[in-house]
Amino acid sequence: MNNYIQTLREREVKSEKKLLQLIFKTTHQNFLKSYSQYADLGELFVNGQFDCLTATALFGIILDELHFDYKIIETNYHIFILVNTENDQVLLETTDRLAGLVDDPAEISSRIGSYRQNKIVKSDDNKLYYNYSFDLYHEVSPDQLAGLLYFNQAIKAYNKHDLLKCSSLLEQSMRIYESLRVEELAIVLVKSVLESNLSIEIKSRVILKYKNFIVSKDSPVASR
């Protein structure tokens, strides 16, 4: 990464937008090989597997090092980057290597409008998809991205029915960034733990850990 960023610093380009275009192209060529939902940051560097969150985290590091003015926008099911260059704004859709750098104002507006709808894009009709009860569209800091990375791994653990690992990862996520999605997964997790074959002692520990979320939602779980 250090060598790669240094080569970008040394490139002579005519404008910030040209440099941004170069960054987008070469970052995909060097690091982002294949999309894999809930891939962690380690997988990105080991075998090039990535998702929208890990790719966004990678671009955030590079943009920071090269002193770009940018912001990261979180929605219910997606995350993207808006970069301010000398003359205009550029949207980076990090999972789209061919058309993910958007500089046309009308197209940027259209994409943002689509993101704001917070609709799940279903890729497999045989899978169950969870619909959040809220609508997110706000800026997150680079530091908060670490919390979201833990959250995604908590989701991955939950989908593998590893409830204790999910609980541990969700707790780490919560310490960094206590978002609405953390609260919602905590309630789902507690309900799953109650219905599991885990011991009473373990169930009690998980419930105690997330009791504030349960009580705040006035969930029936709180009375069990």
Side-chain angles (χ1 to χ4, degrees):
M1 274 294 293
N2 288 338
N3 290 337
Y4 172 63
I5 290 170
Q6 186 58 35
T7 62
L8 291 171
R9 288 196 181 103
E10 294 170 356
R11 292 293 293 267
E12 293 184 7
V13 292
K14 296 180 179 179
S15 65
E16 279 189 335
K17 184 184 286 188
K18 289 291 185 183
L19 178 57
L20 192 59
Q21 291 169 341
L22 177 67
I23 290 168
F24 193 78
K25 178 181 178 181
T26 58
T27 298
H28 274 279
Q29 290 174 339
N30 284 281
F31 298 103
L32 307 177
K33 305 300 183 183
S34 61
Y35 180 85
S36 177
Q37 191 175 33
Y38 302 124
D40 63 38
L41 203 55
E43 289 175 288
L44 189 155
F45 291 105
V46 172
N47 55 26
Q49 291 188 334
F50 68 95
D51 64 3
C52 68
L53 182 58
T54 52
T56 296
L58 177 65
F59 274 101
I61 293 168
I62 296 166
L63 294 175
D64 269 335
E65 290 292 328
L66 296 174
H67 308 295
F68 276 89
D69 176 22
Y70 73 98
K71 56 185 177 181
I72 300 167
I73 306 296
E74 174 192 15
T75 69
N76 281 25
Y77 308 104
H78 195 53
I79 195 162
F80 63 96
I81 300 175
L82 291 172
V83 185
N84 294 314
T85 64
E86 316 104 312
N87 300 316
D88 49 20
Q89 190 175 68
V90 178
L91 183 148
L92 299 184
E93 166 51 77
T94 60
T95 59
D96 184 355
R97 69 173 63 242
L98 298 178
L101 189 148
V102 184
D103 56 8
D104 178 69
E107 177 63 18
I108 291 174
S109 178
S110 175
R111 291 210 184 194
I112 289 177
S114 176
Y115 298 148
R116 280 185 176 274
Q117 293 179 25
N118 280 320
K119 291 182 178 179
I120 299 177
V121 178
K122 297 184 178 181
S123 58
D124 187 345
D125 290 336
N126 295 317
K127 289 184 179 181
L128 293 174
Y129 292 84
Y130 183 85
N131 288 286
Y132 288 116
S133 63
F134 48 78
D135 284 316
L136 282 180
Y137 183 90
H138 66 171
E139 183 177 356
V140 294
S141 71
D143 290 340
Q144 288 173 324
L145 277 183
L148 290 177
L149 288 166
Y150 277 121
F151 178 85
N152 264 18
Q153 293 314 300
I155 291 284
K156 190 174 183 178
Y158 181 86
N159 288 341
K160 291 182 176 180
H161 310 291
D162 191 342
L163 301 181
L164 293 184
K165 185 175 182 180
C166 174
S167 176
S168 175
L169 289 164
L170 187 61
E171 183 178 22
Q172 292 178 77
S173 173
M174 182 172 59
R175 288 173 180 168
I176 300 170
Y177 177 33
E178 195 169 304
S179 67
L180 290 172
R181 64 179 75 243
V182 168
E183 179 176 333
E184 199 136 318
L185 179 56
I187 294 171
V188 172
L189 172 64
V190 167
K191 290 180 178 179
S192 297
V193 165
L194 283 170
E195 295 168 359
S196 73
N197 294 322
L198 294 170
S199 69
I200 296 297
E201 180 184 355
I202 292 176
K203 288 181 179 181
S204 297
R205 287 209 304 265
V206 174
I207 293 170
L208 183 64
K209 189 182 297 184
Y210 299 109
K211 67 176 183 180
N212 290 338
F213 293 129
I214 301 165
V215 172
S216 69
K217 287 289 188 182
D218 195 24
S219 168
V221 177
S223 64
R224 299 175 86 174

